Amino acid sequence: MKPSSPSTRTDVIVLEEKDAAHLAELFRALGDASRIRILSAIADEELHVGAIAEIAGISESAVSHHLRGLRQMRLVRARKEGREVYYSLDDEHVTALFRQGLEHVRHG
Amino acid sequence: MKPSSPSTRTDVIVLEEKDAAHLAELFRALGDASRIRILSAIADEELHVGAIAEIAGISESAVSHHLRGLRQMRLVRARKEGREVYYSLDDEHVTALFRQGLEHVRHG
DNA sequence: CAAACATCTGAATAGATGTTCATGTAATCA
DNA sequence: TGATTACATGAACATCTATTCAGATGTTTG
């Protein structure tokens, strides 16, 4: 369970246990087809929950559940307008991850 | 469950259902702390299973199970030498995903 | 005000997932 | 040959996760 000597190596990409956990958490947040569809729906334009649900083809409740998680991880940003809540990607890191992932999937 | 009209939008990053599933599958493969440690261990140098297990602090059996999945997804490459099997990252797409993810985690 | 609407939330459930344990297979060595 | 090493594999189990359903909250409209 515990690395023998995590800090004795001098490579570029050495991950401490905490970093590994955080990184895994991030990827896990992206590791679901519904969330991918949600994120891709709001990748270029802000959308409210109902629209996201319709476009992604997921129930509004499920969308709301997913969005809560994505919000807590600061992957998406929420803006309330009247009784609707508009969501968009929080920053371009997420977009970059998307592109990188697609690159691998398409011609990896 | 089904998108109302997935192909009517003309944005850059529109994902078909199949692409979304594949992308999610890729991210899910990275969405585990043990696998992250495994991948980071072999990110810069080829290592055999025992060494990976020791560095990552995971049982050899668990490592082997993880490596099978990663192999099937072509994220890692295996090379047999005697009775040892050396693993390395399959291509630099994975490395790029790593960097991008870390970027987000560290100062996102 | 009440009713309709948009979203959120908690509980419950079914399915997926990671680890361990025991065993199997293949290679090296005495 | 038999023993040991390195890795792979399958089953079992506990834990996590995504979805649905019912209901709560807050907002607009009549």
Side-chain angles (χ1 to χ4, degrees):
Chain A
M1 279 282 182
K2 182 179 253 203
S4 53
S5 53
S7 55
T8 50
R9 301 173 72 220
T10 55
D11 311 311
V12 184
I13 312 179
V14 182
L15 295 188
E16 307 172 11
E17 293 183 39
K18 192 175 284 184
D19 280 342
H22 285 159
L23 193 48
E25 194 184 3
L26 169 64
F27 284 129
R28 198 182 311 121
L30 302 175
D32 178 81
S34 294
R35 285 193 291 274
I36 289 290
R37 290 207 295 271
I38 290 173
L39 293 172
S40 99
I42 63 176
D44 31 54
E45 56 173 339
E46 205 185 35
L47 289 176
H48 60 95
V49 178
I52 298 173
E54 194 183 359
I55 291 177
I58 313 166
S59 78
E60 296 190 2
S61 179
V63 168
S64 193
H65 277 292
H66 284 303
L67 285 173
R68 170 164 54 165
L70 295 171
R71 216 185 328 152
Q72 287 172 347
M73 294 203 60
R74 306 193 183 267
L75 294 180
V76 302
R77 174 196 308 268
R79 181 180 64 85
K80 192 167 187 179
E81 186 177 325
R83 54 184 166 189
E84 297 174 348
V85 180
Y86 286 82
Y87 283 86
S88 57
L89 297 189
D90 192 276
D91 59 8
E92 71 280 356
H93 281 291
V94 192
T95 310
L97 277 173
F98 253 74
R99 292 193 208 282
Q100 200 70 48
L102 270 183
E103 195 109 356
H104 180 89
V105 166
R106 285 182 172 149
H107 44 286
Chain B
M1 277 282 182
K2 181 177 255 203
S4 51
S5 52
S7 56
T8 50
R9 301 174 72 220
T10 57
D11 310 310
V12 184
I13 311 180
V14 182
L15 294 187
E16 306 171 12
E17 293 181 40
K18 192 176 284 184
D19 280 342
H22 285 160
L23 193 48
E25 193 185 2
L26 169 63
F27 284 129
R28 199 182 313 120
L30 303 174
D32 178 82
S34 294
R35 285 192 292 274
I36 288 291
R37 289 207 296 272
I38 290 173
L39 292 173
S40 97
I42 64 176
D44 31 55
E45 55 173 341
E46 205 185 34
L47 289 176
H48 61 94
V49 178
I52 298 172
E54 194 183 359
I55 291 177
I58 315 167
S59 77
E60 294 190 4
S61 179
V63 168
S64 193
H65 277 293
H66 284 304
L67 285 173
R68 169 163 58 166
L70 295 171
R71 217 185 330 156
Q72 287 172 346
M73 295 203 59
R74 305 192 183 268
L75 294 180
V76 302
R77 174 196 309 267
R79 181 180 65 84
K80 192 168 186 178
E81 186 176 325
R83 54 185 166 188
E84 297 176 346
V85 180
Y86 286 83
Y87 283 87
S88 57
L89 297 190
D90 192 276
D91 59 9
E92 71 280 355
H93 281 291
V94 192
T95 310
L97 276 172
F98 253 73
R99 291 193 209 282
Q100 201 69 47
L102 269 183
E103 195 109 352
H104 180 91
V105 166
R106 286 183 171 150
H107 44 286

